Amino acid sequence: MPLSFNHYYIRRIWIYLFCAIALLWAIGPIYWIFVSSISTRMELYATPIKSWFPSEPTWDAYIRLFQGGGKYRGGDVSPTEGLMWKSLFNTLFVSIVSAAFVTFLSTNAGYVFARMKFKGKGVIFFFLMLMMPLPLWVSIIALFFMISNAGLIDTLTGMILLFIVFLLPLGIWLMSTFVREINPEIEEAAIVDGCNRWQLMRWIIYPLSKSGMAAVFLVSLLTVWNNFLLPLIFTRSPDSQMLTVVLSLFVGQYEVAWEDMAAAAVVTMLPPFLIALFFQRFLIRGMTLGAVK
Amino acid sequence: MPIDRNRVTRQDLVFVAVILLPLIILVGILIYFPAIDSLITSFTNENLRIRRLPKFIGLKNYSKLIENSEFWIVTARSLLVVSLTLPLELLISLGLALLLTEVFPGRAMVRTLILLPWMLPPIVNGFLWGWILNGEYGALNGLLYQMGIIDEYVTWLRNPDTQIIWVAVVQTWTRFAFPTIILLAGLQSIPKDLLDAAKVDGASSWQSFKNIVLPLLMPSFAVALTIEFIAAFQIFDVIWTLTAGGSAGGAINPFTKTLMLYNYELVFRDLRIGLGAALSYLILFLSLGVAIVFVTRLYNQAVKS
């Protein structure tokens, strides 16, 4: 029937039109920051007609950022090289270590809550979960003085400790739901064969909850990487500052050229971007549950 | 012989204790203790600028805040961000969710790509849009100029009255993916038979959308609205790089000072610890109150219809 044939194609055209608008809105800005970071200065500052596709793409901004830094008008060199390398390392280190700890601790605890019966289990679970929806802010003031007194202000150890504690409730909650989905008969068989609980964890639970652990690891990694408030408050020197803070300082404090800042922004968003692109199926469930909590 | 896998031996108790005790201690020391300590601080006049022993002053900090006009201006501004952001977000996410329930080649790719902004660091999003809205070289100016909509470049972020609108736009861009996922899940859980039956009965697609789809989506709306309310009400990162200009100790832009920025300023700039602690608890109660109203209202509506 020609009528429904036409109708089908018109509908398709509308769908793709809306998709194009949606993509322009969602990734247009990301595209532009990337283009800005690889454009030559001439093109980037061209007005009023902008060039949307760089005619001579260049990595100069990245090289300036990581090697030597750009020149100030006064002739001094901006300190971006040290700041970028150091904060890149700090961010990688803190996010990987915290995410690994959270994954390990919450898989163990998730197993305990999913499978074992003991007195006070409900109370302990409630105790660990209760503060999850509380905004971080209400405890930050006292926490700041505690961390100062413990000598952990402005240290990576302090950052890792804080991130672990704030991510634990979500991790435990996610892992207890993931472990519940494992078929209990496998564990029973292992117990009959004389496995103790630790062996059971090592040989049965960890291998079988790999995808759940990947979800918790990636959600934690992303949360730490993207966080700004904690490093803003608990670090103050370049030795322990993280990328988000350094980027905010580029915007406000240092006279960094736009194309260099764009390159720094691309570096800061690259890991989340890649994780979101390639591991999204792990993330959606964890982040949705995490937000609903 | 059936094995009771839940039977707990003494060895198992050691296992449980080794796993849970460190967690209980960590959470107790680093979450509960500071939260309670901050609550106590909120009843004192602690101020690090003034060398004196903090004195217990009861609810005075709270009354001082409520009587202070700045508190109300800042609260109203936060609510303005909320009331600009939520409708915009819900409109975009409902549209996208409806689009993504359609079956078409490339749907998975579109879904993956539109979720990207939500997963990037909000601090980058603020910077990103600050650059796009830049008055001298910004992309928005270039785009509008080339389309013939403007004759000369506009300094979008200069006008203090409209800065907050741009804050809402960037917040929308940062967050719209989340309600999209929630609404998409809600849409996919609507039984297809129901819509088919309505079609047989002669309902137009608008009628079945209004009378079947929307009411069934109410619980998803409740969840999305609550979470987006809290996210917008406690906005911080995006403003920091878009308009706040508070880096490295600089003054915080008063025209986009929302509750969280006000709280940051009270505690870490003015060092009025007691007052700041009181404000953080007020923000908590306000958020919880509104969240409860949202959820119960929308859920009740959904149950009724």
Side-chain angles (χ1 to χ4, degrees):
Chain A
M1 286 182 292
L3 183 70
S4 77
F5 186 77
N6 262 344
H7 182 245
Y8 174 83
Y9 274 102
I10 289 170
R11 198 178 172 84
R12 267 291 153 83
I13 289 169
W14 276 109
I15 286 175
Y16 283 117
L17 187 69
F18 280 119
C19 281
I21 296 170
L23 289 179
L24 182 70
W25 156 252
I27 54 176
I30 303 174
Y31 170 78
W32 179 243
I33 200 80
F34 180 68
V35 166
S36 300
S37 76
I38 58 168
S39 290
T40 56
R41 199 165 275 206
M42 281 277 280
E43 274 184 342
L44 189 63
Y45 295 118
T47 50
I49 304 291
K50 312 248 39 130
S51 53
W52 305 104
F53 309 97
S55 57
E56 304 161 60
T58 161
W59 297 107
D60 282 357
Y62 294 87
I63 295 166
R64 260 198 312 279
L65 199 63
F66 281 99
Q67 290 183 355
K71 293 265 192 302
Y72 283 152
R73 279 192 204 102
D76 292 335
V77 172
S78 83
T80 54
E81 178 182 352
L83 289 169
M84 285 306 288
W85 283 114
K86 194 73 194 140
S87 63
L88 186 60
F89 169 80
N90 290 342
T91 313
L92 272 171
F93 184 75
V94 170
S95 50
I96 290 173
V97 172
S98 331
F101 266 106
V102 169
T103 310
F104 175 69
L105 294 173
S106 49
T107 307
N108 291 345
Y111 173 78
V112 167
F113 287 121
R115 286 289 202 264
M116 302 186 70
K117 265 190 192 150
F118 54 92
K119 235 188 205 154
K121 183 169 108 168
V123 177
I124 295 175
F125 189 71
F126 186 69
F127 175 83
L128 291 177
M129 292 301 123
L130 179 66
M131 302 299 258
M132 190 161 50
L134 273 200
L136 195 61
W137 196 261
V138 294
S139 43
I140 262 186
I141 297 169
L143 204 52
F144 181 79
F145 295 107
M146 285 171 64
I147 296 286
S148 299
N149 292 336
L152 289 174
I153 280 285
D154 205 22
T155 63
L156 297 187
T157 320
M159 288 310 312
I160 291 170
L161 191 67
L162 288 169
F163 277 121
I164 291 175
V165 172
F166 285 109
L167 288 169
L168 262 180
L170 174 62
I172 294 172
W173 192 55
L174 287 176
M175 281 320 295
S176 66
T177 65
F178 286 131
V179 171
R180 262 187 213 110
E181 284 166 14
I182 298 175
N183 183 352
E185 280 165 24
I186 305 170
E187 293 156 53
E188 281 165 29
I191 290 179
V192 172
D193 289 346
C195 261
N196 69 31
R197 293 279 177 185
W198 296 106
Q199 289 166 328
L200 186 76
M201 293 302 291
R202 169 74 184 81
W203 299 110
I204 311 283
I205 300 300
Y206 295 154
L208 285 182
S209 49
K210 255 189 214 144
S211 72
M213 289 169 82
V216 171
F217 183 83
L218 289 172
V219 169
S220 307
L221 190 77
L222 213 61
T223 311
V224 176
W225 189 284
N226 288 352
N227 194 289
F228 174 63
L229 194 58
L230 280 183
L232 174 71
I233 288 166
F234 291 93
T235 64
R236 50 171 86 106
S237 75
D239 286 337
S240 54
Q241 267 164 354
M242 292 173 60
L243 271 175
T244 46
V245 172
V246 166
L247 183 71
S248 81
L249 291 177
F250 283 177
V251 177
Q253 184 182 16
Y254 302 104
E255 274 181 55
V256 180
W258 280 107
E259 64 269 31
D260 295 7
M261 279 201 281
V266 171
V267 171
T268 310
M269 67 158 86
L270 194 60
F273 183 86
L274 294 177
I275 291 174
L277 218 49
F278 296 111
F279 299 105
Q280 210 171 70
R281 67 194 172 94
F282 289 109
L283 289 170
I284 297 289
R285 186 153 170 225
M287 290 182 75
T288 322
L289 284 174
V292 178
K293 45 197 185 192
Chain B
M1 187 184 72
I3 302 266
D4 180 7
R5 65 176 184 281
N6 295 319
R7 190 194 43 167
V8 174
T9 64
R10 180 182 297 179
Q11 256 186 350
D12 287 346
L13 277 183
V14 173
F15 173 81
V16 170
V18 168
I19 286 175
L20 291 189
L21 270 183
L23 302 185
I24 295 171
I25 293 170
L26 263 182
V27 169
I29 292 181
L30 290 173
I31 297 186
Y32 278 87
F33 178 75
I36 294 165
D37 196 41
S38 294
L39 185 63
I40 295 170
T41 305
S42 77
F43 300 126
T44 68
N45 62 357
E46 189 165 352
N47 182 336
L48 297 182
R49 285 261 163 82
I50 306 167
R51 287 179 175 275
R52 62 162 181 230
L53 276 180
K55 222 171 56 198
F56 182 81
I57 54 166
L59 290 172
K60 245 196 198 137
N61 282 328
Y62 292 88
S63 60
K64 209 188 278 172
L65 280 172
I66 289 171
E67 282 159 20
N68 182 355
S69 65
E70 185 169 22
F71 169 76
W72 289 109
I73 292 170
V74 169
T75 307
R77 191 175 291 125
S78 292
L79 289 173
L80 181 64
V81 173
V82 168
S83 57
L84 290 171
T85 306
L86 291 197
L88 207 57
E89 261 188 61
L90 285 184
L91 213 66
I92 293 174
S93 57
L94 182 63
L96 279 174
L98 287 171
L99 179 66
L100 290 172
T101 44
E102 299 283 335
V103 180
F104 58 90
R107 179 174 70 153
M109 194 192 72
V110 173
R111 207 186 80 148
T112 304
L113 291 176
I114 59 157
L115 296 189
L116 279 172
W118 177 45
M119 300 190 173
L120 300 181
I123 199 87
V124 173
N125 298 348
F127 164 72
L128 185 63
W129 279 88
W131 174 224
I132 287 174
L133 298 171
N134 182 286
E136 285 168 290
Y137 314 109
L140 182 68
N141 276 324
L143 190 68
L144 294 179
Y145 185 88
Q146 263 159 280
M147 288 163 69
I149 296 172
I150 52 171
D151 293 331
E152 56 182 42
Y153 277 23
V154 180
T155 317
W156 299 102
L157 287 172
R158 184 187 286 153
N159 184 347
D161 298 326
T162 52
Q163 280 175 349
I164 206 73
I165 295 172
W166 290 111
V167 166
V169 169
V170 181
Q171 174 72 4
T172 304
W173 187 77
T174 301
R175 298 285 318 181
F176 74 93
F178 176 73
T180 306
I181 296 177
I182 299 286
L183 293 182
L184 191 58
L187 278 176
Q188 281 164 349
S189 68
I190 294 175
K192 229 172 161 10
D193 313 356
L194 219 58
L195 298 173
D196 290 341
K199 215 177 209 170
V200 171
D201 291 344
S204 71
S205 38
W206 167 247
Q207 278 172 331
S208 60
F209 175 74
K210 203 181 72 179
N211 298 323
I212 302 174
V213 175
L214 270 189
L216 285 176
L217 269 185
M218 276 303 159
S220 310
F221 271 121
V223 170
L225 265 178
T226 310
I227 288 160
E228 291 315 304
F229 164 76
I230 291 175
F233 195 60
Q234 301 184 357
I235 184 173
F236 186 86
D237 296 18
V238 162
I239 295 183
W240 191 270
T241 33
L242 187 68
T243 56
S247 286
I252 287 171
N253 175 359
F255 298 105
T256 54
K257 196 194 287 172
T258 54
L259 276 168
M260 290 301 270
L261 281 134
Y262 182 43
N263 205 352
Y264 178 86
E265 185 182 52
L266 278 184
V267 175
F268 291 97
R269 294 280 164 81
D270 302 348
L271 306 180
R272 299 166 80 174
I273 308 295
L275 202 62
L279 179 60
S280 61
Y281 270 91
L282 268 184
I283 296 174
L284 173 67
F285 292 134
L286 284 175
S287 322
L288 281 183
V290 175
I292 290 167
V293 171
F294 265 137
V295 172
T296 46
R297 274 274 173 86
L298 284 170
Y299 256 113
N300 286 346
Q301 241 176 29
V303 171
K304 260 188 248 158
S305 51

Coordinates of all heavy atoms in Angstrom, one line a residue, chain B residues 241-300:
Chain B
T241 N 32.6 27.0 37.8 CA 33.5 27.3 36.6 C 32.7 28.2 35.6 O 33.3 28.8 34.8 CB 34.0 26.1 35.9 OG1 33.1 25.0 36.0 CG2 35.3 25.7 36.4
L242 N 31.4 28.2 35.7 CA 30.6 29.0 34.7 C 30.6 30.5 35.1 O 31.0 31.3 34.3 CB 29.2 28.5 34.6 CG 28.4 29.1 33.4 CD1 28.9 28.7 32.1 CD2 26.9 28.7 33.5
T243 N 30.2 30.8 36.3 CA 30.0 32.2 36.6 C 30.5 32.6 38.0 O 30.6 33.8 38.3 CB 28.5 32.6 36.6 OG1 27.8 31.7 37.5 CG2 27.9 32.5 35.3
A244 N 30.9 31.6 38.9 CA 31.2 32.0 40.2 C 32.5 32.8 40.4 O 32.6 33.7 41.2 CB 31.2 30.8 41.1
G245 N 33.5 32.4 39.6 CA 34.8 33.1 39.7 C 35.4 33.1 41.1 O 36.0 34.0 41.6
G246 N 35.2 32.0 41.9 CA 35.6 31.9 43.2 C 37.0 31.2 43.4 O 37.5 31.0 44.5
S247 N 37.6 30.9 42.2 CA 38.9 30.1 42.3 C 40.0 30.9 43.1 O 40.0 32.1 43.0 CB 39.4 29.8 40.9 OG 38.6 28.8 40.4
A248 N 40.8 30.1 43.8 CA 42.0 30.7 44.4 C 41.6 31.9 45.3 O 42.4 32.9 45.3 CB 43.0 31.1 43.4
G249 N 40.5 31.8 46.0 CA 40.2 32.8 47.0 C 39.6 34.0 46.5 O 39.3 34.9 47.3
G250 N 39.3 34.1 45.2 CA 38.6 35.3 44.7 C 37.2 35.4 45.2 O 36.7 34.4 45.8
A251 N 36.6 36.6 45.1 CA 35.2 36.8 45.6 C 34.3 35.9 44.8 O 34.4 35.7 43.6 CB 34.8 38.2 45.5
I252 N 33.2 35.4 45.5 CA 32.2 34.6 44.8 C 31.2 35.6 44.2 O 30.7 36.5 44.9 CB 31.6 33.7 45.8 CG1 32.6 32.5 46.1 CG2 30.3 33.1 45.3 CD1 32.2 31.6 47.2
N253 N 30.9 35.3 42.9 CA 29.9 36.2 42.2 C 28.6 36.2 42.9 O 27.9 35.2 43.0 CB 29.8 35.6 40.8 CG 28.7 36.4 40.0 OD1 28.1 37.3 40.5 ND2 28.6 35.9 38.7
P254 N 28.2 37.4 43.4 CA 26.9 37.4 44.2 C 25.7 37.1 43.4 O 24.6 36.8 43.9 CB 26.9 38.9 44.7 CG 27.8 39.6 43.8 CD 28.8 38.7 43.3
F255 N 25.8 37.3 42.0 CA 24.5 37.1 41.2 C 24.2 35.7 41.0 O 23.1 35.4 40.5 CB 24.7 37.9 39.9 CG 24.8 39.4 40.1 CD1 26.1 40.0 40.0 CD2 23.8 40.1 40.6 CE1 26.2 41.3 40.2 CE2 23.9 41.5 40.8 CZ 25.2 42.1 40.6
T256 N 25.2 34.8 41.1 CA 24.8 33.4 41.0 C 25.1 32.6 42.3 O 25.4 31.4 42.2 CB 25.6 32.7 39.8 OG1 27.0 32.9 40.0 CG2 25.1 33.3 38.5
K257 N 25.1 33.3 43.4 CA 25.3 32.6 44.7 C 24.1 31.9 45.1 O 23.1 32.4 45.5 CB 25.7 33.7 45.7 CG 26.4 33.0 46.9 CD 26.5 34.0 48.1 CE 27.5 35.1 47.9 NZ 27.4 36.1 48.9
T258 N 24.2 30.5 45.0 CA 23.1 29.7 45.4 C 23.4 29.1 46.8 O 24.5 29.4 47.4 CB 22.9 28.5 44.4 OG1 24.1 27.9 44.3 CG2 22.4 29.0 43.1
L259 N 22.5 28.3 47.4 CA 22.7 27.9 48.7 C 24.0 27.2 49.0 O 24.6 27.5 50.0 CB 21.5 26.9 49.1 CG 20.2 27.6 49.5 CD1 19.1 26.5 49.6 CD2 20.4 28.2 50.9
M260 N 24.4 26.3 48.1 CA 25.7 25.6 48.4 C 26.9 26.6 48.4 O 27.8 26.4 49.2 CB 25.9 24.5 47.4 CG 24.9 23.3 47.6 SD 25.1 22.6 49.3 CE 26.3 21.4 49.0
L261 N 26.9 27.5 47.4 CA 28.0 28.4 47.3 C 28.0 29.4 48.6 O 29.0 29.7 49.1 CB 27.9 29.2 46.1 CG 28.4 28.4 44.9 CD1 27.5 28.5 43.7 CD2 29.8 28.9 44.5
Y262 N 26.8 29.7 49.0 CA 26.6 30.6 50.2 C 27.2 29.8 51.4 O 28.0 30.4 52.2 CB 25.1 30.9 50.4 CG 24.8 31.8 51.6 CD1 25.6 32.9 51.9 CD2 23.7 31.5 52.4 CE1 25.2 33.7 52.9 CE2 23.4 32.3 53.4 CZ 24.1 33.4 53.7 OH 23.8 34.2 54.8
N263 N 26.9 28.5 51.5 CA 27.4 27.7 52.6 C 28.9 27.6 52.5 O 29.6 27.8 53.5 CB 26.8 26.3 52.5 CG 26.7 25.6 53.8 OD1 27.3 26.1 54.8 ND2 26.1 24.5 53.9
Y264 N 29.4 27.4 51.3 CA 30.9 27.3 51.2 C 31.5 28.6 51.6 O 32.5 28.6 52.3 CB 31.2 27.1 49.7 CG 32.7 27.0 49.4 CD1 33.5 25.9 49.6 CD2 33.4 28.2 49.0 CE1 34.8 25.9 49.4 CE2 34.8 28.2 48.8 CZ 35.5 27.0 49.0 OH 36.8 27.0 48.8
E265 N 30.9 29.7 51.2 CA 31.4 31.1 51.6 C 31.4 31.3 53.1 O 32.4 31.7 53.7 CB 30.6 32.1 50.9 CG 31.2 33.5 51.1 CD 30.3 34.6 50.4 OE1 29.0 34.6 50.7 OE2 30.8 35.4 49.7
L266 N 30.3 30.9 53.7 CA 30.2 31.1 55.2 C 31.3 30.3 55.9 O 31.9 30.8 56.8 CB 28.8 30.6 55.7 CG 27.7 31.6 55.6 CD1 26.4 30.9 56.2 CD2 28.0 32.9 56.3
V267 N 31.5 29.0 55.5 CA 32.4 28.2 56.3 C 33.9 28.4 55.9 O 34.7 28.7 56.7 CB 32.1 26.7 56.0 CG1 33.1 25.8 56.7 CG2 30.7 26.4 56.5
F268 N 34.2 28.4 54.6 CA 35.6 28.4 54.2 C 36.1 29.7 53.8 O 37.3 29.9 53.7 CB 35.8 27.4 53.1 CG 35.6 25.9 53.5 CD1 34.4 25.3 53.3 CD2 36.6 25.3 54.2 CE1 34.2 24.0 53.8 CE2 36.4 24.0 54.7 CZ 35.2 23.3 54.4
R269 N 35.3 30.7 53.7 CA 35.8 32.1 53.4 C 35.7 33.0 54.7 O 36.6 33.6 55.1 CB 35.1 32.7 52.2 CG 35.4 32.0 50.9 CD 36.7 32.5 50.3 NE 37.2 31.6 49.3 CZ 36.8 31.6 48.1 NH1 35.9 32.5 47.7 NH2 37.3 30.8 47.2
D270 N 34.4 33.0 55.2 CA 34.2 33.8 56.4 C 34.5 33.1 57.7 O 34.6 33.7 58.7 CB 32.7 34.2 56.5 CG 32.2 35.0 55.2 OD1 33.1 35.3 54.4 OD2 31.0 35.2 55.0
L271 N 34.7 31.8 57.6 CA 35.1 31.0 58.8 C 34.1 31.0 59.9 O 34.4 30.8 61.1 CB 36.5 31.4 59.3 CG 37.6 31.3 58.3 CD1 38.9 31.8 58.9 CD2 37.7 29.9 57.6
R272 N 32.8 31.3 59.6 CA 31.7 31.3 60.6 C 31.2 29.9 60.7 O 30.2 29.6 60.1 CB 30.6 32.3 60.2 CG 31.2 33.7 60.1 CD 30.3 34.7 59.5 NE 29.2 35.1 60.4 CZ 28.3 36.0 60.1 NH1 28.3 36.6 58.9 NH2 27.4 36.4 60.9
I273 N 31.9 29.1 61.4 CA 31.7 27.6 61.4 C 30.3 27.3 61.9 O 29.5 26.5 61.3 CB 32.7 26.9 62.3 CG1 34.1 27.3 61.9 CG2 32.6 25.4 62.2 CD1 34.5 26.9 60.5
G274 N 29.9 27.9 63.1 CA 28.6 27.6 63.7 C 27.4 27.9 62.7 O 26.6 27.1 62.5
L275 N 27.5 29.1 62.2 CA 26.4 29.6 61.2 C 26.4 28.7 60.0 O 25.3 28.3 59.5 CB 26.7 31.0 60.8 CG 25.5 31.8 60.3 CD1 24.4 31.9 61.4 CD2 25.9 33.2 59.9
G276 N 27.6 28.3 59.5 CA 27.7 27.5 58.3 C 27.1 26.1 58.6 O 26.3 25.5 57.7
A277 N 27.4 25.5 59.7 CA 26.8 24.2 60.1 C 25.3 24.3 60.2 O 24.6 23.4 59.7 CB 27.4 23.8 61.4
A278 N 24.8 25.4 60.7 CA 23.3 25.5 60.8 C 22.7 25.6 59.4 O 21.7 24.9 59.1 CB 23.0 26.8 61.6
L279 N 23.4 26.3 58.5 CA 22.9 26.4 57.1 C 22.9 25.0 56.5 O 21.9 24.7 55.8 CB 23.7 27.4 56.3 CG 23.3 27.6 54.9 CD1 21.9 28.1 54.8 CD2 24.2 28.5 54.1
S280 N 24.0 24.2 56.7 CA 24.0 23.0 56.0 C 22.8 22.1 56.5 O 22.3 21.3 55.7 CB 25.3 22.3 56.1 OG 25.6 22.0 57.4
Y281 N 22.5 22.2 57.8 CA 21.3 21.4 58.2 C 20.0 21.9 57.7 O 19.1 21.2 57.3 CB 21.3 21.2 59.7 CG 22.1 20.0 60.2 CD1 23.5 20.1 60.4 CD2 21.5 18.8 60.2 CE1 24.2 18.9 60.7 CE2 22.2 17.6 60.5 CZ 23.5 17.7 60.8 OH 24.2 16.6 61.1
L282 N 19.9 23.3 57.6 CA 18.7 23.8 57.0 C 18.6 23.4 55.5 O 17.4 23.0 55.1 CB 18.8 25.4 57.0 CG 18.2 26.1 58.2 CD1 18.3 27.6 57.9 CD2 16.8 25.7 58.4
I283 N 19.7 23.3 54.8 CA 19.6 22.9 53.4 C 19.1 21.4 53.3 O 18.3 21.0 52.5 CB 21.0 23.0 52.7 CG1 21.4 24.4 52.6 CG2 20.9 22.4 51.3 CD1 22.8 24.7 52.0
L284 N 19.7 20.6 54.3 CA 19.3 19.2 54.3 C 17.8 19.1 54.6 O 17.1 18.4 53.9 CB 20.0 18.5 55.5 CG 19.6 17.1 55.8 CD1 20.0 16.2 54.6 CD2 20.3 16.6 57.0
F285 N 17.2 19.8 55.6 CA 15.8 19.7 55.9 C 14.9 20.2 54.7 O 13.9 19.6 54.4 CB 15.5 20.5 57.2 CG 16.1 19.8 58.4 CD1 16.8 20.6 59.3 CD2 16.0 18.5 58.6 CE1 17.3 20.0 60.4 CE2 16.6 17.9 59.7 CZ 17.3 18.6 60.6
L286 N 15.4 21.3 54.1 CA 14.6 21.8 53.0 C 14.6 20.8 51.9 O 13.5 20.6 51.3 CB 15.2 23.1 52.5 CG 15.0 24.4 53.3 CD1 15.8 25.6 52.7 CD2 13.5 24.8 53.2
S287 N 15.7 20.2 51.5 CA 15.7 19.2 50.5 C 14.9 18.0 50.8 O 14.1 17.6 49.9 CB 17.2 18.7 50.2 OG 18.1 19.7 50.3
L288 N 15.0 17.5 52.0 CA 14.2 16.4 52.4 C 12.7 16.7 52.3 O 11.9 15.9 51.8 CB 14.6 15.9 53.8 CG 15.9 15.1 53.9 CD1 16.1 14.7 55.3 CD2 15.9 13.9 53.0
G289 N 12.4 17.9 52.9 CA 11.0 18.2 52.9 C 10.4 18.3 51.5 O 9.3 17.6 51.2
V290 N 11.0 18.9 50.6 CA 10.5 19.1 49.2 C 10.5 17.7 48.6 O 9.5 17.3 47.9 CB 11.3 20.1 48.4 CG1 10.9 20.1 47.0 CG2 11.2 21.4 49.0
A291 N 11.5 16.9 48.8 CA 11.6 15.6 48.2 C 10.4 14.7 48.6 O 9.8 14.1 47.8 CB 12.9 14.9 48.6
I292 N 10.1 14.8 49.9 CA 9.0 14.0 50.4 C 7.7 14.5 49.8 O 6.8 13.7 49.4 CB 8.9 14.1 52.0 CG1 10.1 13.3 52.6 CG2 7.6 13.5 52.5 CD1 10.3 13.6 54.0
V293 N 7.5 15.8 49.7 CA 6.3 16.3 49.1 C 6.1 15.8 47.6 O 5.1 15.3 47.2 CB 6.3 17.9 49.1 CG1 5.1 18.4 48.2 CG2 6.1 18.3 50.5
F294 N 7.2 16.0 46.9 CA 7.2 15.5 45.5 C 6.8 14.0 45.4 O 5.9 13.7 44.6 CB 8.7 15.5 44.9 CG 9.0 16.8 44.1 CD1 10.2 17.4 44.3 CD2 8.1 17.3 43.2 CE1 10.5 18.6 43.6 CE2 8.4 18.4 42.5 CZ 9.6 19.1 42.7
V295 N 7.5 13.2 46.1 CA 7.2 11.8 46.0 C 5.8 11.4 46.4 O 5.1 10.7 45.6 CB 8.3 11.0 46.8 CG1 7.9 9.5 46.8 CG2 9.6 11.2 46.3
T296 N 5.4 11.9 47.6 CA 4.0 11.5 48.0 C 3.0 12.1 47.0 O 2.1 11.4 46.6 CB 3.7 12.0 49.4 OG1 4.1 13.4 49.5 CG2 4.5 11.2 50.4
R297 N 3.1 13.4 46.7 CA 2.1 14.0 45.7 C 2.0 13.1 44.5 O 0.9 12.7 44.1 CB 2.5 15.4 45.4 CG 2.0 16.4 46.3 CD 0.6 16.9 46.0 NE 0.1 17.8 47.0 CZ 0.3 19.1 47.0 NH1 1.0 19.6 46.1 NH2 -0.2 19.8 48.0
L298 N 3.1 12.9 43.8 CA 3.1 12.3 42.5 C 2.7 10.8 42.6 O 1.9 10.3 41.8 CB 4.4 12.4 41.8 CG 4.7 13.8 41.3 CD1 6.1 14.0 40.8 CD2 3.8 14.1 40.1
Y299 N 3.1 10.2 43.7 CA 2.7 8.8 43.9 C 1.2 8.7 44.1 O 0.6 7.8 43.5 CB 3.5 8.1 45.0 CG 4.6 7.2 44.5 CD1 5.9 7.6 44.8 CD2 4.3 6.1 43.9 CE1 6.9 6.7 44.3 CE2 5.3 5.2 43.4 CZ 6.6 5.6 43.6 OH 7.6 4.8 43.2
N300 N 0.7 9.5 45.0 CA -0.7 9.5 45.2 C -1.5 9.7 43.9 O -2.5 9.0 43.7 CB -1.1 10.6 46.2 CG -0.6 10.2 47.6 OD1 -0.3 9.0 47.9 ND2 -0.6 11.2 48.5

